[in-house]
Amino acid sequence: MLRFEDILDAVERYHPKADEDLLRRAYIYSAHAHRDQLRSSGEPYLVHPIGVAMILAELKLDEVSIATGLLHDVLEDTHTTKEELAALFGGEVAELVDGVTKIGKYAYTSREAQQAETFRKMLLAMTSDVRVILVKLADRLHNMRTLEHLREDKRRTIAAETLEIYAPLANRLGMGRMKGDLEDLSFKYLYPEEYASLTAAVDERMRASAAAVERLRQELLAKAAEAGIDAEVSGRVKRYWSIRQKLIRQSIPLDQLYDVLAFRVLVDSVRDCYTVLGVVHQAWRPVPGRFKDYLAMPKQNFYQSLHTTVVPEGAPPFEVQIRTREMDIVAEQGIAAHWKYKEGRLDPKVDEARIAALRQILETTKDVANPREFLSSLKMDLFPEDVYTFSPKGKVLSFPRGATPVDFAYRIHTDVGHHCVGARLNGRLVPLKTPLKNGDIVEVLTAPNAQPSRDWLSFVATSRARNKIRAFLNTKEKEKSTEIGRRLLERELKKARKSLGKLIEARAFDPLLPELGVARMEDLFAEVGYGKVAPRLVVARLFPAAEPPGPERSPGRADAIRKAVRKILPIGSPGIRVRGEHDLLATLATCCRPVPGEEIVGYVTRGRGVSVHATACPNVRNLLFDPSREIEVEWQSSRDASFTVDLEVDAEDRPGILAKVTQVLSAANSNIEALEVRTRRGDAALITGSVTVPDRKHLDKLLAAIRGVAGVTGVRRKFNVSRLSGE
Ligand code: MN
């Protein structure tokens, strides 16, 4: 059994000045935290973290990675907190252990290949430090090595996940040996019988040709030496899993597979590589089309090597791989080779170079069908512009950064988007505009009567959601405008004592429609509703001789119209209050944000119904240049409703002033939606904020209370003239 001292020995061999104290403390802490736990094998749990740390030490990683390996399961399985780890071992170790723990939480379930690809990308995107992935891979490798102790069904699940997620991840990071180990172990547990027969057959074939292999190896060495090159030659067998895949791909039996046997020649320089290649091609006949130069064109993950297949006299062909010793380390360890401990690494340029190397490794990976798409997706991983989220059923969905639950809802289905009223992120209710984060589990809440709100357009991030919302609003607006236009025309005709219904029956509009450039009555209504055609003009065209109607005087009729409009646009009835979001009150003008008790006036907008302003709003005078679009409105009793008001407070710039204002606000039971303090010239401060109040009376009390705070010199409502609403 491995002991901690074995790890220390291994680390000291490549890093004599390693922080032994850190490693020892990590070991003791882990031993204590896991003291009562056992592995499925019955061994003490500590065997696992030590095994993981050893794998990391074999990769020659820095001591922070190795300490992380020792501690990687304490957050998951014991009462330890991240803060505690940070205090004891530093922020770096705490972050890394936390990262490894998070990856473990996202169980991968889907069977779809596409889902596996997205999942792997998500893991990379979530990881700001590649060492998290390295420790996770070491963790997985150790678990795979000890898989025999688990139940049959668990073995299969873990092996399948390893094959679909972790082996390709290791491959993407260029870690050839890790990938091979993970694949072969998965093979063993996923297809036990096939594994047994294939390994037996391959081993038998190697045994049978052992003498021939050794002869060829000596011959290669001798020929290299003749050319004056110091080479290392090893005969190697292809990995079992990749042999199996190749046999399936080519539909051939094992004895027809040429490159089960391959020689690897390691030399000192690139020039030596090509010299050895020439030597090999002189000695044996090369198989046409089998030569590959991955020196000039690095393959993937930085992999560099020369490959060729040659046919010796009276023997089966074999492959020769020629590369430098340095290239060989990269081929075996990939990204880990770049994270290796190196003497005097404190140079910041090394980190830069490492990031550049990582970028290049990822960008040159070509293991998918569409390289260009893959390239762009990898860029997103590195410059994380994407967020990866989960549906409650565990499906991974990716979005551009800044996407919200509304984008998520529209991704699921248009109807889910149209009817969404709220969302839970990781079980907690959040506002619809909350940006999604990596790893969020998103649950969309819908209501049958809910509808998209124009506000959504200000925060959705996907074009799909934007287009769907726009399409919905346009249809709604057309309907509303048609209805409003009909009412406006009706009102104008009544002034001239005419009935719209009777005129339509008499087809009185027919000659007028083409003149006004519309085809149907509905379109005329819509034009009037949108404000493109004045109702007065329509009447004047219909009855050119009639006297121009006088100003509207009959309160009864105005009332009828107001009621009619209210019927289609339920002004002042905040009945649809969606989980604290006053959705319907969006028809309240956002420039002045009137509250109940305040004098208000309605304005028929172009296509967006009625917008309600405070009479005191500076915009109203500008808007109401067209009196025919003015509409009377009134407050209805609105229990439980709350209204947002923007405030500005002038104060002396003294410590604690914001806290005092906040106290007054919360003492008055007002919700604070935003509060910000800015220092002005001299010793003056300006506090701006948004609070919610039920009505005018409450607001007045609130303003008085703020005025009473020591240090406050003035307080007022804030009108947002720039956010002019109505048009
Ligand atoms: Mn573990």
Side-chain angles (χ1 to χ4, degrees), residues 39 45 48-49 52 69 72-73 77 100 136 139-140 142-143:
R39 294 277 284 174
Y45 193 88
H48 172 60
V52 171
H72 80 274
D73 272 331
D77 300 339
V100 176
K136 186 65 201 172
D139 175 42
R140 178 53 58 121
H142 188 258
N143 283 333

Side-chain angles (χ1 to χ4, degrees), residues 491-555:
R491 177 166 78 164
E492 203 60 33
L493 283 166
K494 271 186 181 163
K495 291 180 198 164
R497 298 191 177 74
K498 304 285 180 190
S499 146
L500 177 64
K502 280 184 188 156
L503 288 170
I504 291 175
E505 238 171 76
R507 313 198 71 86
F509 289 94
D510 285 7
L512 197 58
L513 296 181
E515 275 177 46
L516 293 168
V518 294
R520 300 171 309 147
M521 260 332 268
E522 264 71 45
D523 298 335
L524 176 59
F525 293 150
E527 293 285 281
V528 173
Y530 278 127
K532 288 180 187 158
V533 176
R536 206 175 288 225
L537 172 88
V538 178
V539 175
R541 289 277 187 92
L542 272 181
F543 308 104
E547 262 182 43
E552 176 65 59
R553 278 288 165 256
S554 162

Side-chain angles (χ1 to χ4, degrees), residues 65 183 187 211 231 239 249 270 277 283 358 361 422 443 478 559 592 621 630 658 665 688 727:
S65 303
E183 281 176 349
F187 184 17
R239 291 290 197 149
R249 234 185 357 257
V270 170
L277 179 75
L358 169 62
I361 279 179
E443 188 186 344
K478 178 94 198 267
D559 208 38
C592 53
R621 237 167 306 135
E630 180 180 341
L658 188 63
L665 292 175
T688 53
E727 285 298 315

Side-chain angles (χ1 to χ4, degrees), residues 206 209-224 232-236 258 261-265 279-280 283-285 310-320:
M206 292 318 293
S209 57
V213 169
E214 182 54 24
R215 210 173 46 243
L216 280 173
R217 198 181 78 85
Q218 293 298 343
E219 218 175 321
L220 265 169
L221 267 177
K223 287 191 192 301
E232 233 173 279
V233 181
S234 55
R236 60 175 269 281
Y258 291 152
L261 175 62
F263 289 95
R264 184 172 297 163
V265 184
V279 167
V280 168
W284 297 288
R285 187 164 50 84
V310 293
V311 196
E313 216 56 57
F318 62 91
E319 189 186 55
V320 185

Side-chain angles (χ1 to χ4, degrees), residues 18 56 65 85 103 136 178 206 223 297 477 495 533 563 639 644:
L56 295 166
S65 303
L85 285 184
I103 288 183
K136 186 65 201 172
M178 174 72 79
M206 292 318 293
K223 287 191 192 301
M297 294 259 287
E477 276 175 12
K495 291 180 198 164
V533 176
K563 275 185 186 140
R639 259 177 300 142
T644 301

Side-chain angles (χ1 to χ4, degrees), residues 270-285:
V270 170
R271 213 187 52 194
D272 287 356
C273 290
Y274 288 105
T275 309
V276 169
L277 179 75
V279 167
V280 168
H281 280 181
Q282 232 166 23
W284 297 288
R285 187 164 50 84

